[in-house]
Amino acid sequence: GIFLITLIVFSFTCFAAEKADKDAILQEISAFIDKSPDAIRPVIFSIADEYVNNNKIDEAVALYEKALKILPSSEDLLSRLANLYNRKADYLKAVNIYKKMIELKPDNIWYYNVLSDTYKNAKLDDKAAALWEDLMKKSNNPDIFMQAANFYKNQNNTDKAVLAVKKAIELKPDNTAYQQALESYYVKLEKFSDA
């Protein structure tokens, strides 16, 4: 009986020491995070990836949301969270994240593309179209017009796609890829003399 009691007491003290060590390490990590918050990103990604691999999407979402309270403008955290919301078909939350990403980096055309795609996934094609219309009114970036052309092509609106490509060519006439894109649209419209 004494051996068993000694074993139980010993295991409790080992556990207590182990917990105290863990708490001390967590306290040290916490102080480090305050000084260098970006240091936690790889750990967050590892834990979230493990959740996703085990199909625990809600846990991964919750972890990213907590991490974003520490790193509110971390594009990779925002992007991963938006991807998870898309995976859960919670498109409006994904839309809000992509809007925030656009606020952070308004020159990143990819963010407009994923926002547009998320609108389409949410069956909000009119909002996706409005996004490109608004961008084309404000922008002098030919790549915006080419992305808008791709959007219109995917919407089977080749006429609008042609107009967008023409504007891209007007902004950057020496880009042969734009010329080739225009030619392919004319072929699709069977306007062979324009091609």
Side-chain angles (χ1 to χ4, degrees):
I2 294 175
F3 175 74
L4 183 59
I5 292 171
T6 308
L7 187 61
I8 291 170
V9 170
F10 179 74
S11 63
F12 279 136
T13 55
C14 285
F15 177 75
E18 188 177 295
K19 182 168 178 5
D21 289 342
K22 286 180 184 176
D23 289 344
I25 289 172
L26 288 174
Q27 194 169 3
E28 216 168 302
I29 290 170
S30 181
F32 182 71
I33 289 169
D34 290 341
K35 291 178 200 160
S36 181
D38 275 342
I40 65 163
R41 285 178 34 238
V43 176
I44 298 297
F45 295 149
S46 293
I47 296 169
D49 288 348
E50 186 66 26
Y51 283 143
V52 170
N53 291 339
N54 290 308
N55 209 25
K56 295 180 177 181
I57 305 303
D58 291 335
E59 287 86 342
V61 165
L63 179 64
Y64 283 134
E65 287 174 344
K66 289 175 199 161
L68 282 164
K69 289 178 182 167
I70 298 168
L71 299 164
S73 57
S74 172
E75 290 176 71
D76 44 2
L77 285 172
L78 288 165
S79 179
R80 286 174 175 235
L81 180 57
N83 287 339
L84 289 177
Y85 279 133
N86 271 323
R87 185 169 170 176
K88 290 176 54 155
D90 195 341
Y91 300 120
L92 296 181
K93 285 186 179 176
V95 159
N96 289 332
I97 292 171
Y98 290 131
K99 285 179 178 179
K100 181 173 183 173
M101 293 170 72
I102 288 169
E103 285 174 23
L104 292 170
K105 293 276 175 85
D107 294 334
N108 189 325
I109 297 170
W110 174 249
Y111 293 163
Y112 295 100
N113 277 320
V114 290
L115 176 58
S116 175
D117 289 345
T118 302
Y119 278 138
K120 288 191 303 187
N121 291 338
K123 307 287 186 249
L124 298 170
D125 289 8
D126 55 330
K127 288 197 180 237
L131 172 71
W132 293 111
E133 291 292 329
D134 187 49
L135 280 169
M136 289 190 300
K137 285 177 192 165
K138 294 191 264 183
S139 181
N140 284 326
N141 181 342
D143 292 332
I144 290 284
F145 290 90
M146 291 305 294
Q147 293 304 316
N150 287 334
F151 168 77
Y152 289 123
K153 178 183 84 172
N154 292 333
Q155 296 293 309
N156 292 319
N157 190 338
T158 308
D159 290 328
K160 277 197 173 184
V162 165
L163 292 174
V165 174
K166 282 183 175 181
K167 181 65 178 178
I169 292 169
E170 181 184 309
L171 292 167
K172 199 170 184 181
D174 58 335
N175 189 316
T176 56
Y178 298 167
Q179 301 280 348
Q180 291 168 341
L182 183 59
E183 182 181 352
S184 72
Y185 289 129
Y186 280 140
V187 168
K188 185 175 181 177
L189 290 170
E190 297 184 3
K191 293 185 176 182
F192 301 113
S193 60
D194 291 329

